[in-house]
Amino acid sequence: MAPSSIKKEKIETPNLPIPLVDTLISEPIGVLLVHERMLESFLVARDRYLKPGGTIMPSDGTIFLAPFSDANLWTQTMGKVRFWEQSNFYGVDFGPLASDAKEEIFGQPIVGNFDNRILCAPAVSHFIDFSTILIEELKDFVIWINWKFPLTDTPTNLCQSGLVHGIAGWFDFTLGGQLLSTAPSAPQTHWQQVRFMLKEPLAVNAYETVKGWMRLRVNEQRSYTIDVEITTSNNLSDPHAPQTQNETRLMDHGFTTRKGRWNLQEQTYWYTQDPPLPAIPEYQSMYEPDLLDVEILE
């Protein structure tokens, strides 16, 4: 067996004195599988230094996307926006900054673990085979969405409001024949999960279908710019068409469609989990009557 050696070079450096290898092992994984774009370096090493028929670990990964309902998180996120709506903060009018503040705050992916019972429908998946995928295919790809909403008013489901507050994402990958999952129902990992909050929730009825797409494009911060469109109507745009961030409520189908844009590197973090109870925030004015205090007059 040849003695081992360490080469302190970027794998992208041309003509490194590295022989072809039987096995390639790396940890090229980031948030939502692709953040930090380390997979591209992994594929460079595969193409240049792996013997034909060689083994790579991890060998594949799968991204999962599901709708979620979390009124507490949405309300707290909106609370950050309210600060910028003040017209007299020690004599300063923040109002002109409110619109930009909302775009920035809701444009931050929220990384953290959550109770899987907030998921409103089974997740869709996008499989990536690290043995065969091309680097260019990683730089711009679309995940198609088709969620069928079940009856949500059940003891094991917290999506009782009929409101989708955003999209949750996580991933699995295969390492040496073993499947490692970062799903909310799996043991926690340092990758956790990620949630993309909608600026305005989408109302969905039981048994309704939500269609849409998530497009991921690489950016200069070694991450991805993510565009999303989801709708309960049949008016779904082309993900490769130029995207606008105008308020969708101004469209004819604005009550049934939501759009959003996030830069995956601009993450904020959610370190706590709220108690697993149905969230009924004040703004909905949905209170169960206390029948014991009701006096019936005849």
Side-chain angles (χ1 to χ4, degrees), residues 241-273:
Q243 298 303 311
T244 62
Q245 295 304 302
N246 296 330
E247 291 292 335
T248 52
R249 195 177 271 276
L250 299 178
M251 303 177 184
D252 293 339
H253 55 282
F255 289 95
T256 60
T257 299
R258 296 292 179 268
K259 293 184 177 183
R261 173 173 291 172
W262 299 264
N263 288 309
L264 190 53
Q265 77 277 5
E266 295 179 357
Q267 302 163 9
T268 186
Y269 298 91
W270 185 257
Y271 291 112
T272 61
Q273 294 188 44

PDB file of all heavy atoms in Angstrom, residues 241-273:
ATOM      1  N   ALA A 241     -39.055  32.246 -16.976  1.00  0.00           N
ATOM      2  CA  ALA A 241     -39.382  33.587 -17.447  1.00  0.00           C
ATOM      3  C   ALA A 241     -38.871  34.610 -16.429  1.00  0.00           C
ATOM      4  O   ALA A 241     -38.684  34.286 -15.252  1.00  0.00           O
ATOM      5  CB  ALA A 241     -40.890  33.718 -17.629  1.00  0.00           C
ATOM      6  N   PRO A 242     -38.611  35.852 -16.841  1.00  0.00           N
ATOM      7  CA  PRO A 242     -38.179  36.883 -15.884  1.00  0.00           C
ATOM      8  C   PRO A 242     -39.197  37.030 -14.764  1.00  0.00           C
ATOM      9  O   PRO A 242     -40.404  37.144 -15.006  1.00  0.00           O
ATOM     10  CB  PRO A 242     -38.100  38.148 -16.744  1.00  0.00           C
ATOM     11  CG  PRO A 242     -37.902  37.655 -18.136  1.00  0.00           C
ATOM     12  CD  PRO A 242     -38.666  36.361 -18.219  1.00  0.00           C
ATOM     13  N   GLN A 243     -38.708  37.017 -13.528  1.00  0.00           N
ATOM     14  CA  GLN A 243     -39.595  37.058 -12.370  1.00  0.00           C
ATOM     15  C   GLN A 243     -39.710  38.478 -11.837  1.00  0.00           C
ATOM     16  O   GLN A 243     -38.741  39.215 -11.761  1.00  0.00           O
ATOM     17  CB  GLN A 243     -39.075  36.131 -11.266  1.00  0.00           C
ATOM     18  CG  GLN A 243     -39.026  34.670 -11.671  1.00  0.00           C
ATOM     19  CD  GLN A 243     -40.380  34.159 -12.106  1.00  0.00           C
ATOM     20  OE1 GLN A 243     -41.390  34.368 -11.415  1.00  0.00           O
ATOM     21  NE2 GLN A 243     -40.423  33.488 -13.245  1.00  0.00           N
ATOM     22  N   THR A 244     -40.924  38.847 -11.466  1.00  0.00           N
ATOM     23  CA  THR A 244     -41.173  40.136 -10.834  1.00  0.00           C
ATOM     24  C   THR A 244     -41.603  39.900  -9.400  1.00  0.00           C
ATOM     25  O   THR A 244     -42.133  38.845  -9.059  1.00  0.00           O
ATOM     26  CB  THR A 244     -42.275  40.913 -11.564  1.00  0.00           C
ATOM     27  OG1 THR A 244     -43.501  40.165 -11.494  1.00  0.00           O
ATOM     28  CG2 THR A 244     -41.891  41.137 -13.018  1.00  0.00           C
ATOM     29  N   GLN A 245     -41.356  40.892  -8.564  1.00  0.00           N
ATOM     30  CA  GLN A 245     -41.709  40.782  -7.157  1.00  0.00           C
ATOM     31  C   GLN A 245     -42.881  41.690  -6.795  1.00  0.00           C
ATOM     32  O   GLN A 245     -43.016  42.122  -5.653  1.00  0.00           O
ATOM     33  CB  GLN A 245     -40.479  41.133  -6.304  1.00  0.00           C
ATOM     34  CG  GLN A 245     -39.335  40.145  -6.477  1.00  0.00           C
ATOM     35  CD  GLN A 245     -39.764  38.723  -6.183  1.00  0.00           C
ATOM     36  OE1 GLN A 245     -40.231  38.415  -5.090  1.00  0.00           O
ATOM     37  NE2 GLN A 245     -39.627  37.839  -7.159  1.00  0.00           N
ATOM     38  N   ASN A 246     -43.718  42.002  -7.780  1.00  0.00           N
ATOM     39  CA  ASN A 246     -44.886  42.818  -7.498  1.00  0.00           C
ATOM     40  C   ASN A 246     -45.853  42.062  -6.606  1.00  0.00           C
ATOM     41  O   ASN A 246     -45.855  40.828  -6.553  1.00  0.00           O
ATOM     42  CB  ASN A 246     -45.603  43.205  -8.810  1.00  0.00           C
ATOM     43  CG  ASN A 246     -44.731  44.083  -9.696  1.00  0.00           C
ATOM     44  OD1 ASN A 246     -43.899  44.832  -9.192  1.00  0.00           O
ATOM     45  ND2 ASN A 246     -44.917  43.974 -10.991  1.00  0.00           N
ATOM     46  N   GLU A 247     -46.687  42.811  -5.883  1.00  0.00           N
ATOM     47  CA  GLU A 247     -47.661  42.168  -5.014  1.00  0.00           C
ATOM     48  C   GLU A 247     -48.624  41.324  -5.850  1.00  0.00           C
ATOM     49  O   GLU A 247     -49.309  41.835  -6.726  1.00  0.00           O
ATOM     50  CB  GLU A 247     -48.447  43.226  -4.217  1.00  0.00           C
ATOM     51  CG  GLU A 247     -47.606  43.956  -3.180  1.00  0.00           C
ATOM     52  CD  GLU A 247     -47.195  43.038  -2.041  1.00  0.00           C
ATOM     53  OE1 GLU A 247     -47.902  42.052  -1.797  1.00  0.00           O
ATOM     54  OE2 GLU A 247     -46.177  43.310  -1.402  1.00  0.00           O
ATOM     55  N   THR A 248     -48.681  40.030  -5.564  1.00  0.00           N
ATOM     56  CA  THR A 248     -49.535  39.150  -6.362  1.00  0.00           C
ATOM     57  C   THR A 248     -51.008  39.442  -6.131  1.00  0.00           C
ATOM     58  O   THR A 248     -51.851  39.087  -6.942  1.00  0.00           O
ATOM     59  CB  THR A 248     -49.242  37.686  -6.018  1.00  0.00           C
ATOM     60  OG1 THR A 248     -49.310  37.511  -4.601  1.00  0.00           O
ATOM     61  CG2 THR A 248     -47.870  37.284  -6.502  1.00  0.00           C
ATOM     62  N   ARG A 249     -51.352  40.090  -5.025  1.00  0.00           N
ATOM     63  CA  ARG A 249     -52.762  40.387  -4.771  1.00  0.00           C
ATOM     64  C   ARG A 249     -53.314  41.390  -5.796  1.00  0.00           C
ATOM     65  O   ARG A 249     -54.526  41.503  -5.983  1.00  0.00           O
ATOM     66  CB  ARG A 249     -52.920  40.933  -3.349  1.00  0.00           C
ATOM     67  CG  ARG A 249     -54.353  40.941  -2.868  1.00  0.00           C
ATOM     68  CD  ARG A 249     -54.422  41.426  -1.437  1.00  0.00           C
ATOM     69  NE  ARG A 249     -54.286  40.349  -0.493  1.00  0.00           N
ATOM     70  CZ  ARG A 249     -55.290  39.581  -0.089  1.00  0.00           C
ATOM     71  NH1 ARG A 249     -56.496  39.753  -0.602  1.00  0.00           N
ATOM     72  NH2 ARG A 249     -55.108  38.637   0.800  1.00  0.00           N
ATOM     73  N   LEU A 250     -52.418  42.105  -6.492  1.00  0.00           N
ATOM     74  CA  LEU A 250     -52.865  43.050  -7.501  1.00  0.00           C
ATOM     75  C   LEU A 250     -53.253  42.354  -8.799  1.00  0.00           C
ATOM     76  O   LEU A 250     -53.848  42.960  -9.678  1.00  0.00           O
ATOM     77  CB  LEU A 250     -51.760  44.081  -7.780  1.00  0.00           C
ATOM     78  CG  LEU A 250     -51.333  44.943  -6.591  1.00  0.00           C
ATOM     79  CD1 LEU A 250     -50.208  45.876  -7.002  1.00  0.00           C
ATOM     80  CD2 LEU A 250     -52.509  45.733  -6.038  1.00  0.00           C
ATOM     81  N   MET A 251     -52.905  41.066  -8.934  1.00  0.00           N
ATOM     82  CA  MET A 251     -53.241  40.326 -10.149  1.00  0.00           C
ATOM     83  C   MET A 251     -54.681  39.840 -10.074  1.00  0.00           C
ATOM     84  O   MET A 251     -55.299  39.796  -9.010  1.00  0.00           O
ATOM     85  CB  MET A 251     -52.307  39.121 -10.310  1.00  0.00           C
ATOM     86  CG  MET A 251     -50.824  39.476 -10.342  1.00  0.00           C
ATOM     87  SD  MET A 251     -49.825  37.977 -10.449  1.00  0.00           S
ATOM     88  CE  MET A 251     -48.183  38.671 -10.346  1.00  0.00           C
ATOM     89  N   ASP A 252     -55.203  39.427 -11.237  1.00  0.00           N
ATOM     90  CA  ASP A 252     -56.562  38.885 -11.253  1.00  0.00           C
ATOM     91  C   ASP A 252     -56.674  37.640 -10.387  1.00  0.00           C
ATOM     92  O   ASP A 252     -57.721  37.385  -9.785  1.00  0.00           O
ATOM     93  CB  ASP A 252     -56.976  38.556 -12.702  1.00  0.00           C
ATOM     94  CG  ASP A 252     -57.125  39.807 -13.555  1.00  0.00           C
ATOM     95  OD1 ASP A 252     -57.313  40.891 -12.967  1.00  0.00           O
ATOM     96  OD2 ASP A 252     -57.036  39.695 -14.787  1.00  0.00           O
ATOM     97  N   HIS A 253     -55.608  36.859 -10.336  1.00  0.00           N
ATOM     98  CA  HIS A 253     -55.627  35.623  -9.556  1.00  0.00           C
ATOM     99  C   HIS A 253     -54.828  35.793  -8.267  1.00  0.00           C
ATOM    100  O   HIS A 253     -54.326  34.834  -7.705  1.00  0.00           O
ATOM    101  CB  HIS A 253     -55.060  34.465 -10.377  1.00  0.00           C
ATOM    102  CG  HIS A 253     -53.684  34.720 -10.925  1.00  0.00           C
ATOM    103  ND1 HIS A 253     -53.473  35.514 -12.022  1.00  0.00           N
ATOM    104  CD2 HIS A 253     -52.454  34.306 -10.528  1.00  0.00           C
ATOM    105  CE1 HIS A 253     -52.178  35.568 -12.279  1.00  0.00           C
ATOM    106  NE2 HIS A 253     -51.531  34.854 -11.388  1.00  0.00           N
ATOM    107  N   GLY A 254     -54.727  37.038  -7.774  1.00  0.00           N
ATOM    108  CA  GLY A 254     -53.855  37.320  -6.640  1.00  0.00           C
ATOM    109  C   GLY A 254     -54.253  36.661  -5.343  1.00  0.00           C
ATOM    110  O   GLY A 254     -53.412  36.473  -4.454  1.00  0.00           O
ATOM    111  N   PHE A 255     -55.508  36.313  -5.174  1.00  0.00           N
ATOM    112  CA  PHE A 255     -55.926  35.666  -3.933  1.00  0.00           C
ATOM    113  C   PHE A 255     -55.563  34.185  -3.915  1.00  0.00           C
ATOM    114  O   PHE A 255     -55.672  33.543  -2.878  1.00  0.00           O
ATOM    115  CB  PHE A 255     -57.429  35.839  -3.720  1.00  0.00           C
ATOM    116  CG  PHE A 255     -57.820  37.247  -3.374  1.00  0.00           C
ATOM    117  CD1 PHE A 255     -58.235  38.128  -4.353  1.00  0.00           C
ATOM    118  CD2 PHE A 255     -57.743  37.696  -2.061  1.00  0.00           C
ATOM    119  CE1 PHE A 255     -58.581  39.428  -4.040  1.00  0.00           C
ATOM    120  CE2 PHE A 255     -58.088  38.999  -1.734  1.00  0.00           C
ATOM    121  CZ  PHE A 255     -58.504  39.874  -2.729  1.00  0.00           C
ATOM    122  N   THR A 256     -55.151  33.647  -5.043  1.00  0.00           N
ATOM    123  CA  THR A 256     -54.861  32.221  -5.115  1.00  0.00           C
ATOM    124  C   THR A 256     -53.395  31.921  -5.406  1.00  0.00           C
ATOM    125  O   THR A 256     -53.018  30.759  -5.512  1.00  0.00           O
ATOM    126  CB  THR A 256     -55.717  31.557  -6.214  1.00  0.00           C
ATOM    127  OG1 THR A 256     -55.420  32.174  -7.477  1.00  0.00           O
ATOM    128  CG2 THR A 256     -57.200  31.700  -5.903  1.00  0.00           C
ATOM    129  N   THR A 257     -52.559  32.955  -5.550  1.00  0.00           N
ATOM    130  CA  THR A 257     -51.165  32.770  -5.947  1.00  0.00           C
ATOM    131  C   THR A 257     -50.240  33.540  -5.008  1.00  0.00           C
ATOM    132  O   THR A 257     -50.551  34.655  -4.596  1.00  0.00           O
ATOM    133  CB  THR A 257     -50.938  33.259  -7.389  1.00  0.00           C
ATOM    134  OG1 THR A 257     -51.763  32.496  -8.272  1.00  0.00           O
ATOM    135  CG2 THR A 257     -49.482  33.089  -7.802  1.00  0.00           C
ATOM    136  N   ARG A 258     -49.111  32.917  -4.677  1.00  0.00           N
ATOM    137  CA  ARG A 258     -48.088  33.589  -3.890  1.00  0.00           C
ATOM    138  C   ARG A 258     -46.730  33.393  -4.555  1.00  0.00           C
ATOM    139  O   ARG A 258     -46.436  32.305  -5.070  1.00  0.00           O
ATOM    140  CB  ARG A 258     -48.043  33.052  -2.462  1.00  0.00           C
ATOM    141  CG  ARG A 258     -49.301  33.303  -1.659  1.00  0.00           C
ATOM    142  CD  ARG A 258     -49.489  34.787  -1.358  1.00  0.00           C
ATOM    143  NE  ARG A 258     -50.710  35.028  -0.606  1.00  0.00           N
ATOM    144  CZ  ARG A 258     -51.887  35.304  -1.160  1.00  0.00           C
ATOM    145  NH1 ARG A 258     -51.990  35.375  -2.480  1.00  0.00           N
ATOM    146  NH2 ARG A 258     -52.943  35.526  -0.410  1.00  0.00           N
ATOM    147  N   LYS A 259     -45.908  34.460  -4.514  1.00  0.00           N
ATOM    148  CA  LYS A 259     -44.547  34.402  -5.024  1.00  0.00           C
ATOM    149  C   LYS A 259     -43.587  34.833  -3.927  1.00  0.00           C
ATOM    150  O   LYS A 259     -43.975  35.500  -2.968  1.00  0.00           O
ATOM    151  CB  LYS A 259     -44.364  35.313  -6.240  1.00  0.00           C
ATOM    152  CG  LYS A 259     -45.126  34.888  -7.485  1.00  0.00           C
ATOM    153  CD  LYS A 259     -44.790  35.807  -8.654  1.00  0.00           C
ATOM    154  CE  LYS A 259     -45.493  35.366  -9.932  1.00  0.00           C
ATOM    155  NZ  LYS A 259     -45.103  36.223 -11.088  1.00  0.00           N
ATOM    156  N   GLY A 260     -42.329  34.454  -4.084  1.00  0.00           N
ATOM    157  CA  GLY A 260     -41.328  34.885  -3.126  1.00  0.00           C
ATOM    158  C   GLY A 260     -39.934  34.708  -3.684  1.00  0.00           C
ATOM    159  O   GLY A 260     -39.713  33.933  -4.619  1.00  0.00           O
ATOM    160  N   ARG A 261     -38.993  35.460  -3.110  1.00  0.00           N
ATOM    161  CA  ARG A 261     -37.577  35.331  -3.485  1.00  0.00           C
ATOM    162  C   ARG A 261     -36.741  35.372  -2.217  1.00  0.00           C
ATOM    163  O   ARG A 261     -36.969  36.204  -1.337  1.00  0.00           O
ATOM    164  CB  ARG A 261     -37.157  36.433  -4.445  1.00  0.00           C
ATOM    165  CG  ARG A 261     -35.648  36.448  -4.723  1.00  0.00           C
ATOM    166  CD  ARG A 261     -35.284  37.436  -5.817  1.00  0.00           C
ATOM    167  NE  ARG A 261     -35.792  36.979  -7.108  1.00  0.00           N
ATOM    168  CZ  ARG A 261     -35.757  37.719  -8.213  1.00  0.00           C
ATOM    169  NH1 ARG A 261     -35.276  38.953  -8.170  1.00  0.00           N
ATOM    170  NH2 ARG A 261     -36.225  37.231  -9.357  1.00  0.00           N
ATOM    171  N   TRP A 262     -35.785  34.462  -2.147  1.00  0.00           N
ATOM    172  CA  TRP A 262     -34.889  34.380  -0.999  1.00  0.00           C
ATOM    173  C   TRP A 262     -33.469  34.135  -1.496  1.00  0.00           C
ATOM    174  O   TRP A 262     -33.268  33.442  -2.493  1.00  0.00           O
ATOM    175  CB  TRP A 262     -35.272  33.226  -0.083  1.00  0.00           C
ATOM    176  CG  TRP A 262     -36.638  33.315   0.497  1.00  0.00           C
ATOM    177  CD1 TRP A 262     -36.991  33.807   1.721  1.00  0.00           C
ATOM    178  CD2 TRP A 262     -37.871  32.864  -0.114  1.00  0.00           C
ATOM    179  NE1 TRP A 262     -38.356  33.715   1.905  1.00  0.00           N
ATOM    180  CE2 TRP A 262     -38.911  33.142   0.796  1.00  0.00           C
ATOM    181  CE3 TRP A 262     -38.180  32.281  -1.343  1.00  0.00           C
ATOM    182  CZ2 TRP A 262     -40.240  32.843   0.522  1.00  0.00           C
ATOM    183  CZ3 TRP A 262     -39.502  31.981  -1.630  1.00  0.00           C
ATOM    184  CH2 TRP A 262     -40.518  32.259  -0.699  1.00  0.00           C
ATOM    185  N   ASN A 263     -32.486  34.707  -0.792  1.00  0.00           N
ATOM    186  CA  ASN A 263     -31.089  34.362  -1.001  1.00  0.00           C
ATOM    187  C   ASN A 263     -30.687  33.418   0.126  1.00  0.00           C
ATOM    188  O   ASN A 263     -30.742  33.786   1.307  1.00  0.00           O
ATOM    189  CB  ASN A 263     -30.206  35.609  -1.011  1.00  0.00           C
ATOM    190  CG  ASN A 263     -30.395  36.424  -2.274  1.00  0.00           C
ATOM    191  OD1 ASN A 263     -30.315  35.899  -3.377  1.00  0.00           O
ATOM    192  ND2 ASN A 263     -30.658  37.712  -2.130  1.00  0.00           N
ATOM    193  N   LEU A 264     -30.291  32.219  -0.249  1.00  0.00           N
ATOM    194  CA  LEU A 264     -30.108  31.161   0.738  1.00  0.00           C
ATOM    195  C   LEU A 264     -29.002  31.486   1.743  1.00  0.00           C
ATOM    196  O   LEU A 264     -29.005  30.966   2.857  1.00  0.00           O
ATOM    197  CB  LEU A 264     -29.817  29.840   0.012  1.00  0.00           C
ATOM    198  CG  LEU A 264     -29.834  28.555   0.847  1.00  0.00           C
ATOM    199  CD1 LEU A 264     -31.126  28.416   1.634  1.00  0.00           C
ATOM    200  CD2 LEU A 264     -29.629  27.336  -0.055  1.00  0.00           C
ATOM    201  N   GLN A 265     -28.060  32.366   1.376  1.00  0.00           N
ATOM    202  CA  GLN A 265     -26.982  32.697   2.299  1.00  0.00           C
ATOM    203  C   GLN A 265     -27.406  33.714   3.356  1.00  0.00           C
ATOM    204  O   GLN A 265     -26.723  33.883   4.367  1.00  0.00           O
ATOM    205  CB  GLN A 265     -25.761  33.236   1.532  1.00  0.00           C
ATOM    206  CG  GLN A 265     -25.874  34.675   1.047  1.00  0.00           C
ATOM    207  CD  GLN A 265     -26.613  34.802  -0.262  1.00  0.00           C
ATOM    208  OE1 GLN A 265     -27.145  33.830  -0.802  1.00  0.00           O
ATOM    209  NE2 GLN A 265     -26.664  36.011  -0.812  1.00  0.00           N
ATOM    210  N   GLU A 266     -28.533  34.388   3.155  1.00  0.00           N
ATOM    211  CA  GLU A 266     -28.984  35.415   4.103  1.00  0.00           C
ATOM    212  C   GLU A 266     -29.898  34.792   5.150  1.00  0.00           C
ATOM    213  O   GLU A 266     -31.061  35.172   5.322  1.00  0.00           O
ATOM    214  CB  GLU A 266     -29.675  36.545   3.353  1.00  0.00           C
ATOM    215  CG  GLU A 266     -28.727  37.299   2.416  1.00  0.00           C
ATOM    216  CD  GLU A 266     -29.408  38.404   1.637  1.00  0.00           C
ATOM    217  OE1 GLU A 266     -30.636  38.557   1.788  1.00  0.00           O
ATOM    218  OE2 GLU A 266     -28.719  39.112   0.874  1.00  0.00           O
ATOM    219  N   GLN A 267     -29.361  33.853   5.886  1.00  0.00           N
ATOM    220  CA  GLN A 267     -30.156  33.063   6.811  1.00  0.00           C
ATOM    221  C   GLN A 267     -30.322  33.767   8.155  1.00  0.00           C
ATOM    222  O   GLN A 267     -29.454  34.498   8.614  1.00  0.00           O
ATOM    223  CB  GLN A 267     -29.483  31.704   7.036  1.00  0.00           C
ATOM    224  CG  GLN A 267     -29.279  30.891   5.780  1.00  0.00           C
ATOM    225  CD  GLN A 267     -28.269  29.786   5.952  1.00  0.00           C
ATOM    226  OE1 GLN A 267     -27.819  29.514   7.062  1.00  0.00           O
ATOM    227  NE2 GLN A 267     -27.881  29.141   4.856  1.00  0.00           N
ATOM    228  N   THR A 268     -31.464  33.535   8.765  1.00  0.00           N
ATOM    229  CA  THR A 268     -31.666  33.845  10.161  1.00  0.00           C
ATOM    230  C   THR A 268     -31.953  32.521  10.866  1.00  0.00           C
ATOM    231  O   THR A 268     -32.202  31.506  10.200  1.00  0.00           O
ATOM    232  CB  THR A 268     -32.808  34.858  10.368  1.00  0.00           C
ATOM    233  OG1 THR A 268     -32.866  35.244  11.745  1.00  0.00           O
ATOM    234  CG2 THR A 268     -34.151  34.276   9.952  1.00  0.00           C
ATOM    235  N   TYR A 269     -31.913  32.512  12.193  1.00  0.00           N
ATOM    236  CA  TYR A 269     -31.935  31.231  12.904  1.00  0.00           C
ATOM    237  C   TYR A 269     -33.047  31.205  13.944  1.00  0.00           C
ATOM    238  O   TYR A 269     -33.354  32.213  14.584  1.00  0.00           O
ATOM    239  CB  TYR A 269     -30.568  30.966  13.557  1.00  0.00           C
ATOM    240  CG  TYR A 269     -29.477  30.869  12.529  1.00  0.00           C
ATOM    241  CD1 TYR A 269     -28.758  31.996  12.137  1.00  0.00           C
ATOM    242  CD2 TYR A 269     -29.204  29.660  11.890  1.00  0.00           C
ATOM    243  CE1 TYR A 269     -27.782  31.918  11.156  1.00  0.00           C
ATOM    244  CE2 TYR A 269     -28.234  29.576  10.910  1.00  0.00           C
ATOM    245  CZ  TYR A 269     -27.526  30.708  10.548  1.00  0.00           C
ATOM    246  OH  TYR A 269     -26.573  30.631   9.575  1.00  0.00           O
ATOM    247  N   TRP A 270     -33.625  30.030  14.079  1.00  0.00           N
ATOM    248  CA  TRP A 270     -34.737  29.796  15.002  1.00  0.00           C
ATOM    249  C   TRP A 270     -34.301  28.683  15.946  1.00  0.00           C
ATOM    250  O   TRP A 270     -34.273  27.513  15.589  1.00  0.00           O
ATOM    251  CB  TRP A 270     -35.978  29.390  14.207  1.00  0.00           C
ATOM    252  CG  TRP A 270     -37.224  29.241  15.020  1.00  0.00           C
ATOM    253  CD1 TRP A 270     -37.814  28.077  15.427  1.00  0.00           C
ATOM    254  CD2 TRP A 270     -38.061  30.296  15.507  1.00  0.00           C
ATOM    255  NE1 TRP A 270     -38.949  28.343  16.139  1.00  0.00           N
ATOM    256  CE2 TRP A 270     -39.127  29.699  16.203  1.00  0.00           C
ATOM    257  CE3 TRP A 270     -37.991  31.688  15.427  1.00  0.00           C
ATOM    258  CZ2 TRP A 270     -40.126  30.448  16.812  1.00  0.00           C
ATOM    259  CZ3 TRP A 270     -38.992  32.425  16.034  1.00  0.00           C
ATOM    260  CH2 TRP A 270     -40.037  31.807  16.710  1.00  0.00           C
ATOM    261  N   TYR A 271     -33.911  29.069  17.174  1.00  0.00           N
ATOM    262  CA  TYR A 271     -33.295  28.116  18.094  1.00  0.00           C
ATOM    263  C   TYR A 271     -34.282  27.429  19.019  1.00  0.00           C
ATOM    264  O   TYR A 271     -33.927  26.507  19.734  1.00  0.00           O
ATOM    265  CB  TYR A 271     -32.233  28.825  18.945  1.00  0.00           C
ATOM    266  CG  TYR A 271     -31.026  29.260  18.152  1.00  0.00           C
ATOM    267  CD1 TYR A 271     -30.749  30.602  17.938  1.00  0.00           C
ATOM    268  CD2 TYR A 271     -30.165  28.316  17.597  1.00  0.00           C
ATOM    269  CE1 TYR A 271     -29.639  30.992  17.202  1.00  0.00           C
ATOM    270  CE2 TYR A 271     -29.063  28.698  16.859  1.00  0.00           C
ATOM    271  CZ  TYR A 271     -28.800  30.037  16.664  1.00  0.00           C
ATOM    272  OH  TYR A 271     -27.714  30.419  15.945  1.00  0.00           O
ATOM    273  N   THR A 272     -35.517  27.893  19.038  1.00  0.00           N
ATOM    274  CA  THR A 272     -36.502  27.313  19.954  1.00  0.00           C
ATOM    275  C   THR A 272     -37.680  26.794  19.165  1.00  0.00           C
ATOM    276  O   THR A 272     -37.960  27.228  18.046  1.00  0.00           O
ATOM    277  CB  THR A 272     -36.996  28.351  20.958  1.00  0.00           C
ATOM    278  OG1 THR A 272     -37.630  29.427  20.256  1.00  0.00           O
ATOM    279  CG2 THR A 272     -35.844  28.892  21.793  1.00  0.00           C
ATOM    280  N   GLN A 273     -38.374  25.845  19.772  1.00  0.00           N
ATOM    281  CA  GLN A 273     -39.607  25.335  19.190  1.00  0.00           C
ATOM    282  C   GLN A 273     -40.755  25.704  20.100  1.00  0.00           C
ATOM    283  O   GLN A 273     -40.700  25.483  21.314  1.00  0.00           O
ATOM    284  CB  GLN A 273     -39.558  23.810  19.036  1.00  0.00           C
ATOM    285  CG  GLN A 273     -38.522  23.321  18.039  1.00  0.00           C
ATOM    286  CD  GLN A 273     -38.649  21.839  17.774  1.00  0.00           C
ATOM    287  OE1 GLN A 273     -39.740  21.335  17.600  1.00  0.00           O
ATOM    288  NE2 GLN A 273     -37.534  21.148  17.745  1.00  0.00           N
TER     289      GLN A 273
END
